[in-house]
Amino acid sequence: MSTYYTGKRAQHYNTRWHTYTARTLEETKAIIDVAALRFVPERLGRCPRVLDVACGTGILLRQLLALVPGVEAYGVDASADMLVQARMALKGQLHVHLERAQIGRGETANLPYAQETFDLITCTNALHDMPEPAGMLAGLKRLLVPGGQLVVEDFAPREPRFFWAAFEWLLRRIERNNVRTYTLFEARALCQQAGLHVASENVFTVDWLWHGWVVRAYRTSSEAAPTHA
Ligand SMILES: C[S@@+](CC[C@H](N)C(=O)[O-])C[C@H]1O[C@@H](n2cnc3c(N)ncnc32)[C@H](O)[C@@H]1O
């Protein structure tokens, strides 16, 4: 596992990446079908269940708790130090469960949850760190309830490609992890490989360097996007 998100880097993550995080999470929230989540209690007679994988310092979970009242929020991350920050950010919130786990390509992405548990799964700014992204997405798909949404966001490679290849090489050295970024086209293909259907997508700009994409996907075949009022 990368040791990048530990110690002082975890402590200062929110300050250092404030602008980047604000922009990427704004795009993530914009693509989530919030109405579908708010409709869960009426439709299924229970709280909406949300999982943020590689939740980092818990910023997105905190925002989702404000956006969808009564939500039951789960967060997993491989870094104990990032989870310390998440616990502080989510202190006092009801129905929050944070776990340390290494997400992978197992049946349920190596996570300790039953299949068909979550109405929404999010994964922001972390796909580039995953060694087997299609396998991981397939595992997350199994954790979705029928009609549940998977929202994935990450930064995208830029042109010219030789510049980006050099930049990725640098990121690998800094993170000591096999960083691999994806275009929206490649992200869509990974979803397809994982048995997911992308129903909505967007590309966006953070600044001169960072550009990103975001997709909302559903299980394919009988589990298409739900219709709701
Ligand atoms: C750039 S941070 C993003 C955090 C958060 N999702 C956000 O958007 O602010 C990447 C996070 O992914 C976590 N991570 C990377 N690989 C992981 C893995 N295989 N399993 C669990 N967490 C992982 C890191 O510990 C780190 O907290």
Side-chain angles (χ1 to χ4, degrees):
M1 179 202 135
S2 163
T3 52
Y4 182 76
Y5 296 99
T6 57
K8 288 217 179 318
R9 273 190 292 259
Q11 246 175 49
H12 300 306
Y13 182 88
N14 287 352
T15 318
R16 178 155 184 223
W17 293 99
H18 173 75
T19 308
Y20 176 90
T21 305
R23 179 85 183 99
T24 56
L25 298 191
E26 176 191 310
E27 290 291 338
T28 302
K29 281 182 294 172
I31 209 167
I32 292 172
D33 186 349
V34 174
L37 283 179
R38 290 186 176 148
F39 192 49
V40 167
E42 195 179 323
R43 196 163 61 91
L44 300 171
R46 60 161 176 79
C47 300
R49 291 191 289 253
V50 169
L51 168 67
D52 189 22
V53 299
C55 67
T57 56
I59 302 176
L60 180 58
L61 280 179
R62 197 178 57 201
Q63 296 182 1
L64 290 174
L65 281 156
L67 203 60
V68 187
V71 86
E72 199 171 336
Y74 293 75
V76 291
D77 199 282
S79 161
D81 292 347
M82 292 294 266
L83 287 170
V84 166
Q85 303 294 314
R87 286 203 176 89
M88 286 197 289
L90 296 162
K91 202 171 163 190
Q93 297 270 13
L94 297 175
H95 312 301
V96 173
H97 316 265
L98 296 173
E99 296 262 358
R100 187 177 182 194
Q102 180 87 17
I103 299 144
R105 56 158 301 183
E107 185 73 4
T108 53
N110 296 354
L111 297 177
Y113 308 115
Q115 299 205 13
E116 303 198 349
T117 296
F118 297 101
D119 303 291
L120 167 69
I121 299 178
T122 51
C123 178
T124 60
N125 302 308
L127 194 72
H128 62 269
D129 274 329
M130 301 298 160
E132 293 179 89
M136 189 248 340
L137 291 172
L140 295 182
K141 177 193 71 176
R142 294 186 194 100
L143 291 174
L144 286 174
V145 299
Q149 10 173 355
L150 174 65
V151 170
V152 185
E153 175 278 334
D154 207 354
F155 60 90
R158 302 285 311 280
E159 298 292 341
R161 275 307 179 111
F162 70 86
F163 156 77
W164 192 262
F167 186 60
E168 253 187 23
W169 176 85
L170 191 67
L171 290 178
R172 279 188 209 117
R173 305 272 300 188
I174 295 170
E175 285 205 24
R176 298 214 186 115
N177 199 19
N178 191 27
V179 174
R180 159 80 163 90
T181 50
Y182 302 94
T183 60
L184 172 62
F185 182 82
E186 290 167 330
R188 218 188 287 129
L190 287 173
C191 285
Q192 210 167 7
Q193 247 178 286
L196 289 153
H197 157 71
V198 172
S200 184
E201 61 188 37
N202 197 15
V203 289
F204 60 91
T205 301
V206 178
D207 57 24
W208 66 271
L209 176 62
W210 303 104
H211 287 195
W213 50 260
V214 60
V215 299
R216 169 158 48 87
Y218 297 88
R219 291 159 64 158
T220 45
S221 66
S222 56
E223 285 122 351
T227 50
H228 52 80

